[in-house]
Amino acid sequence: MSQALTPADVVRKLEGWLRRVNEPDRVFTKNKKVEVVFLVEAVNAILPRTEGVEDITLIKMPGTEYEVPAILPEKLQAVARRNMLSFLRSHYERRTKEVNDYLGKLSEVFKPAGEKGGKKDEAVGYIKAAESLQTGRWNCFVQPPAGEGTDVGMDGFCPACALYGTVLDNTKVSGVGNISVGLKSRVEFDPAIALSDRKVSVIPLTHNKVSDGVSWTGQSLFTEYHVAPGTIFVGKATLEDVTEQELLAFLATLLTITRLGGRERLFGGVRVHLVGVRGGSYETVSALELARELARNYGEKLPSVEEVLDYLKKELQGRGFLTDLDQEAFRKLAESDETWSGLWRSTLIYDKQVLLRVLQLQGKEGYQEAWSDKDVLGGKP
């Protein structure tokens, strides 16, 4: 039996499909993709909600008679992003001085080379980085506004914004006038698709109606439909033009997701299993394709994780995926400060390149870098 691949092993094998941190023009795609296949195992009843029948997202499995639960891509991206932000906040508490140094650089990324007409141009930087230094508190969170506008909680520059996307406007960037630039997410999730028909994977549960914080139950009863414990979903994400640091941080946060769906404080317990990763210039497989083949064998029962992993690893090995992966080594990356420090350094270089393109779009000239890549990276990759 071969030894499981560590994170360092995987990075080495995927090196040709990862972007270098200080590579010029990282903001432009070069079709360097990493496909990640994973399983989501329901260890508790979960509620992947949507509008529709029984309030559970259901799809018709092509080529079969089965209708199976699914987890929509936006749900997966939201929980992955929030999990990454949670780890970044913990890292900030432990490494406040270090992160504040990064924030200082982000508050002034480009500075005017001189004066024009007796009026000095404003430095170009990220507004919320400067505000974080003034308040002594950094945070980024997902909070859509009540009315029109961009997300009011996102700072526009942190690793989660750089990886999962954001919108930059004059509330987030100083010195560039009125702008509205969308940064596309570089993580693209497929819907995660269950293997078992709704007859065995969706169950009704009857509840007493209890208010939050109340220690007694009333007699009012209601029924909700949940995805049954033991249900397995096949998921896939494609990472576009990411660095080593972004890949490892993504895998660490994906594998440490433990709750998902509606009412997750009561239900929603899940365990994520990493099945395989592959580098390439295009996508080779979809979650639906893999789930459909499995559903033909397991559509009328709840298979074990071991059965599904055994099938998928054999299938993916034939497609060039790395499948003998050290799951715990990837999970432990989430607890390493160097994972998040490295991610911040990678993000700073990306953020600087983004603002350089914004200046070019605005036709602004006469600016110079306030700091160099070497100032951030030193002797580190």
Side-chain angles (χ1 to χ4, degrees):
M1 184 175 179
S2 60
Q3 187 173 0
L5 297 174
T6 67
D9 295 330
V10 169
V11 167
R12 186 172 62 255
K13 290 178 178 292
L14 296 179
E15 184 178 8
W17 302 108
L18 299 173
R19 302 293 291 268
R20 300 189 313 276
V21 170
N22 60 347
E23 178 181 335
D25 294 330
R26 260 179 62 198
V27 294
F28 295 110
T29 181
K30 289 188 176 179
N31 273 348
K32 294 194 174 186
K33 303 177 187 290
V34 177
E35 295 178 280
V36 179
V37 175
F38 58 93
L39 301 180
V40 178
E41 176 193 5
V43 297
N44 193 350
I46 65 173
L47 278 166
R49 290 183 183 274
T50 188
E51 299 297 327
V53 179
E54 299 173 351
D55 213 26
I56 294 288
T57 306
L58 297 168
I59 68 165
K60 178 72 170 61
M61 183 70 80
T64 74
E65 300 177 354
Y66 304 131
E67 193 173 18
V68 299
I71 306 170
L72 296 177
E74 56 267 35
K75 306 283 187 182
L76 291 165
Q77 183 173 115
V79 72
R81 183 177 195 146
R82 288 187 171 99
N83 199 35
M84 176 174 283
L85 284 169
S86 179
F87 282 113
L88 286 168
R89 292 186 199 109
S90 296
H91 174 256
Y92 177 67
E93 287 186 354
R94 296 188 299 270
R95 297 285 187 92
T96 304
K97 185 176 183 298
E98 175 189 329
V99 178
N100 280 345
D101 180 61
Y102 301 148
L103 296 178
K105 289 180 170 58
L106 289 168
S107 66
E108 186 181 53
V109 182
F110 292 96
K111 57 186 179 182
E115 296 183 4
K116 295 180 181 179
K119 181 180 178 182
K120 189 173 182 180
D121 290 330
E122 186 181 6
V124 177
Y126 293 90
I127 293 172
K128 291 192 177 183
E131 291 176 352
S132 296
L133 288 174
Q134 292 172 358
T135 62
R137 179 174 174 269
W138 168 79
N139 197 7
C140 179
F141 52 96
V142 182
Q143 180 186 324
E148 294 183 1
T150 60
D151 192 298
V152 297
M154 294 182 188
D155 59 25
F157 60 79
C158 80
C161 286
L163 187 60
Y164 288 104
T166 188
V167 174
L168 298 179
D169 57 20
N170 57 4
T171 69
K172 292 186 172 70
V173 180
S174 62
V176 293
N178 291 323
I179 63 164
S180 182
V181 177
L183 296 184
K184 181 183 175 183
S185 172
R186 288 179 289 135
V187 180
E188 299 170 354
F189 282 98
D190 284 9
I193 300 174
L195 310 179
S196 308
D197 185 67
R198 61 184 293 184
K199 294 176 182 177
V200 294
S201 61
V202 178
I203 56 173
L205 293 178
T206 301
H207 309 273
N208 291 105
K209 190 171 184 179
V210 183
S211 298
D212 289 343
V214 177
S215 59
W216 47 268
T217 60
Q219 294 185 15
S220 176
L221 302 177
F222 68 101
T223 298
E224 282 184 321
Y225 285 86
H226 300 251
V227 172
T231 301
I232 297 172
F233 298 79
V234 176
K236 199 204 87 168
T238 301
L239 281 64
E240 304 255 2
D241 293 282
V242 296
T243 62
E244 165 191 338
Q245 292 79 5
E246 289 170 329
L247 171 65
L248 294 181
F250 169 79
L251 293 175
T253 49
L254 178 69
L255 285 169
T256 50
I257 291 170
T258 57
R259 291 197 171 268
L260 184 150
R263 300 183 70 194
E264 64 177 34
R265 293 295 178 258
L266 295 175
F267 306 103
V270 297
R271 184 176 294 111
V272 179
H273 305 267
L274 182 59
V275 184
V277 297
R278 177 191 180 276
S281 58
Y282 57 90
E283 297 180 58
T284 61
V285 71
S286 70
L288 175 61
E289 178 185 353
L290 295 172
R292 183 176 56 205
E293 293 304 314
L294 283 157
R296 291 185 174 128
N297 294 323
Y298 301 116
E300 296 182 7
K301 66 176 184 177
L302 296 178
S304 69
V305 171
E306 290 74 21
E307 288 177 289
V308 177
L309 283 173
D310 184 60
Y311 172 87
L312 282 179
K313 286 184 177 183
K314 290 177 182 177
E315 175 68 21
L316 293 174
Q317 283 170 4
R319 297 172 181 258
F321 279 74
L322 306 174
T323 59
D324 293 323
L325 306 171
D326 188 338
Q327 305 271 330
E328 284 309 306
F330 282 95
R331 284 193 180 92
K332 287 180 180 178
L333 287 174
E335 299 175 335
S336 168
D337 279 321
E338 187 50 40
T339 298
W340 308 110
S341 294
L343 183 61
W344 269 110
R345 291 192 294 270
S346 172
T347 301
L348 258 68
I349 309 302
Y350 184 83
D351 287 340
K352 183 169 72 169
Q353 291 190 14
V354 167
L355 291 192
L356 176 60
R357 301 306 160 203
V358 170
L359 285 172
Q360 293 173 341
L361 285 171
Q362 296 289 88
K364 289 182 173 289
E365 299 178 349
Y367 286 84
Q368 63 186 27
E369 293 182 352
W371 42 270
S372 69
D373 292 358
K374 189 175 181 180
D375 294 333
V376 174
L377 299 177
K380 297 177 180 178

